[in-house]
Amino acid sequence: MAQEANIGVVGLAVMGSNLARNLASREGNKVAVYNRTFARTELLATEHPEAGFIAALTIDDFVASLAKPRTAIIMVQAGAGTDAVIAELAERFEPGDIIVDGGNALFTDTIRREKDVRAKGIHFVGAGISGGEEGALKGPSIMPGGTAESYATLGPILASIAAVAEGEPCVTHVGTDGAGHFVKMIHNGIEYADMQLIAEAYDLLRNVGGFSPAEIAGIFEQWNTGELESYLIEITAEVLKQIDAATGKPLVDVILDEAGSKGTGVWTVQTSLNLGVPVSGIAEAVFARSLSSQRAQRDAANGLPAETFAFDVPDKAAFVEEVRLALYASKIVAYAQGFDAIRAGAAEYNWDINLGAVAKIWRGGCIIRAQFLNRIAEAYGKNSGLLSLLLDGYFTDAVTRSLGAWRRIVAGASLAGIPVPAFASSLSYYDGLRAPRLPAAVVQGQRDFFGAHTYKRIDMPGVFHTLWSGDRTEIETTPSSH
Ligand code: NBP
């Protein structure tokens, strides 16, 4: 087989097929395709003759069809399937060739795989690809890791298929080895928080404001013309407009209220816990999905007392605006926390990640695409060492003008007995962040009391332990081994 394809795709289920078609539609690309079960390959080539695919029957045919340096994108099930395909390619590829994993791999797997494959002189690029099947076909946001050398070959190909936002392709070389999959993971975590916040706004508008789903759809459409403009607000309006054909009711009222997940939100929270980064908005969103799925407990607890208080809404329009402001401020916190997690991950794993560039590639193609990512890109563009997004002037102003509304909404929801875990935890995070003094001093005292964990003082250097049950004198110690 002639070596004529400049790029190949392995794994032709929905994501791989669409990505292969996207690649084939761009000038200059000749695409080889391979799937473990040939029927899928055959079907794709037959249904899309315009793509001019080289349909490989075997992995050997596939490898033989690729021009050097060979470049193949794997789009198979994450986990064992990905490992199996990497092994097959690595056996046949030569030094300088490039293996790209475009699946949703855990970044630590990507770090491991990159190391193994690099030992053979082959480049391994873990590339986060966001945007679902439509994104894969029409233009996703792409977050590649791997070496700068591999990006020289791969970058132009990925740029040719990526979404375009304000004239720029939504792809950047995020960093080495697992950096791309790490950033994709955080993207998904932020997505969880954003979705939960919108759902909480809906709940308030419905159960406090008394609006119907169709009316809330109209409110969201209105919000989508301003600073909340985003894909998630847009599709939520569509979801709320939908009428169930079988019952004639709003579809949202007949959908079972148990949210599922595929695990990237959990990964984000687990990773952030390990890094010591409070991603409370994302964590609450993950927990809210877990709670929603605890059907037996929920049914058993359904009649527990509530003792609620009225949340008076004398002016409906003003209430809608307060919910909007609370949503915006909470959303800013969720993104600030997500970007903090990326910065902490970069420090831990030695990645040089440009946070502004990450914000830019999320402006198009991906699920969290939103107008305000431009503001985030500007903030990090002005100051790459920004300690928190909340300290950037634009975001400080946005939160400042939302604060009153944010507090009234969270307090009102609490009095009315409406759960707003993401709104409330975001506000608490903000208050914790800005507090000059936290009750952590009490925690340190407790730790020293029961475990002699020691503490530091505000007025003198050194490490101290109090003899709590003795004469209560403080003594300076060498750093504790506890
Ligand atoms: P699936 O995740 O459903 O995987 C099916 C593909 O994996 C088929 O091509 C199948 O081959 C292949 N495969 C499996 Br399973 N085990 C294999 C093995 N041991 N060796 C070789 N091939 C194997 O496909 P998908 O839904 O298209 O997703 C592909 C990747 O993209 C996944 O990692 C997924 O997490 C990710 N994804 C991303 C998004 C997004 O928005 N970015 C959305 C959905 C999925 P067969 O045909 O022979 O069974």
Side-chain angles (χ1 to χ4, degrees):
M1 198 171 280
Q3 298 174 346
E4 54 180 341
N6 66 319
I7 183 91
V9 178
V10 182
L12 302 174
V14 59
M15 290 295 289
S17 302
N18 282 356
L19 201 75
R21 286 172 58 200
N22 185 350
L23 282 161
S25 71
R26 312 294 166 159
E27 210 176 315
N29 286 340
K30 183 72 181 169
V31 185
V33 287
Y34 169 74
N35 192 72
R36 179 180 61 177
T37 311
F38 184 63
R40 271 197 213 270
T41 316
E42 210 174 15
L43 186 70
L44 178 67
T46 318
E47 283 186 345
H48 296 284
E50 78 287 352
F53 289 127
I54 300 175
L57 177 64
T58 67
I59 189 88
D60 287 318
D61 290 346
F62 175 76
V63 172
S65 71
L66 295 171
K68 294 178 185 178
R70 301 179 183 93
T71 306
I73 304 179
I74 302 172
M75 291 301 287
V76 304
Q77 199 171 66
T82 303
D83 276 319
V85 176
I86 291 169
E88 284 182 311
L89 289 177
E91 225 173 81
R92 293 163 175 84
F93 272 23
E94 293 168 4
D97 290 348
I98 304 167
I99 299 174
V100 183
D101 174 17
N104 266 341
L106 180 60
F107 76 97
T108 45
D109 284 343
T110 303
I111 292 174
R112 167 181 58 80
R113 288 166 178 155
E114 198 274 341
K115 201 165 162 234
D116 291 350
V117 171
R118 182 160 30 95
K120 299 182 175 172
I122 299 166
H123 296 287
F124 183 78
V125 177
I129 300 182
S130 175
E133 49 181 290
E134 189 181 323
L137 181 63
K138 296 182 180 163
S141 172
I142 311 177
M143 293 149 255
T147 59
E149 195 187 338
S150 62
Y151 195 70
T153 304
L154 198 58
I157 300 172
L158 297 182
S160 76
I161 59 164
V164 175
E166 299 182 24
E168 295 174 89
C170 294
V171 59
T172 189
H173 182 224
V174 174
T176 51
D177 56 59
H181 276 140
F182 183 92
V183 165
K184 170 65 170 35
M185 174 187 75
I186 302 293
H187 163 283
N188 285 28
I190 293 174
E191 176 185 313
Y192 272 62
D194 213 338
M195 292 168 71
Q196 174 66 21
L197 289 168
I198 295 170
E200 289 177 17
Y202 155 82
D203 207 12
L204 289 160
L205 293 170
R206 184 95 191 254
N207 293 311
V208 178
F211 294 100
S212 69
E215 287 169 333
I216 300 170
I219 292 167
F220 283 2
E221 279 172 345
Q222 183 59 36
W223 288 358
N224 202 37
T225 62
E227 57 197 1
L228 275 172
E229 182 191 334
S230 63
Y231 172 72
L232 282 170
I233 290 282
E234 178 191 327
I235 65 160
T236 310
E238 292 299 322
V239 168
L240 295 176
K241 267 194 263 177
Q242 194 74 26
I243 297 297
D244 175 44
T247 60
K249 293 181 181 169
L251 182 66
V252 70
D253 286 349
V254 296
I255 296 178
L256 190 67
D257 60 341
E258 296 174 17
S261 64
K262 279 194 173 170
T264 44
V266 172
W267 288 351
T268 303
V269 177
Q270 286 172 333
T271 302
S272 301
L273 284 171
N274 288 338
L275 290 169
V277 180
V279 289
S280 48
I282 300 170
E284 288 297 348
V286 174
F287 291 144
R289 290 195 195 188
S290 308
L291 176 65
S292 77
S293 299
Q294 302 292 330
R295 179 50 64 183
Q297 274 189 336
R298 286 180 60 198
D299 286 346
N302 199 256
L304 287 177
E307 194 166 348
T308 57
F309 299 85
F311 187 158
D312 290 327
V313 179
D315 179 343
K316 278 200 173 196
F319 174 72
V320 169
E321 177 59 6
E322 295 225 319
V323 174
R324 189 190 72 79
L325 288 167
L327 172 58
Y328 193 48
S330 302
K331 178 173 161 136
I332 290 170
V333 166
Y335 280 69
Q337 294 178 337
F339 276 89
D340 283 353
I342 297 178
R343 202 188 31 218
E348 175 72 19
Y349 296 100
N350 284 320
W351 297 320
D352 183 16
I353 300 182
N354 179 332
L355 299 179
V358 169
K360 279 189 166 187
I361 65 167
W362 288 348
R363 290 176 305 171
C366 65
I367 305 298
I368 63 170
R369 58 185 184 261
Q371 184 56 35
F372 100 135
L373 285 158
N374 276 312
R375 305 285 87 77
I376 297 180
E378 280 164 20
Y380 286 117
K382 270 187 288 177
N383 178 5
S384 61
L386 191 63
L387 284 175
S388 166
L389 263 189
L390 292 159
L391 298 172
D392 172 75
Y394 172 84
F395 293 106
T396 307
D397 288 350
V399 169
T400 304
R401 69 185 153 77
S402 307
L403 263 175
W406 203 8
R407 292 197 192 287
R408 280 188 291 276
I409 290 293
V410 169
S414 173
L415 288 169
I418 293 176
V420 285
F423 272 40
S425 73
S426 301
L427 178 56
S428 276
Y429 171 84
Y430 176 76
D431 282 332
L433 189 68
R434 63 168 194 82
R437 192 153 167 82
L438 290 168
V442 174
V443 175
Q444 282 299 80
Q446 293 162 335
R447 292 180 70 236
D448 191 57
F449 187 103
F450 66 68
H453 291 297
T454 74
Y455 54 86
K456 290 181 183 167
R457 295 178 56 100
I458 59 169
D459 52 356
M460 59 182 90
V463 178
F464 297 85
H465 168 56
T466 291
L467 302 174
W468 298 93
S469 55
D471 59 7
R472 305 181 82 79
T473 40
E474 294 165 345
I475 53 167
E476 192 166 358
T477 67
T478 50
S480 170
S481 59
H482 293 287

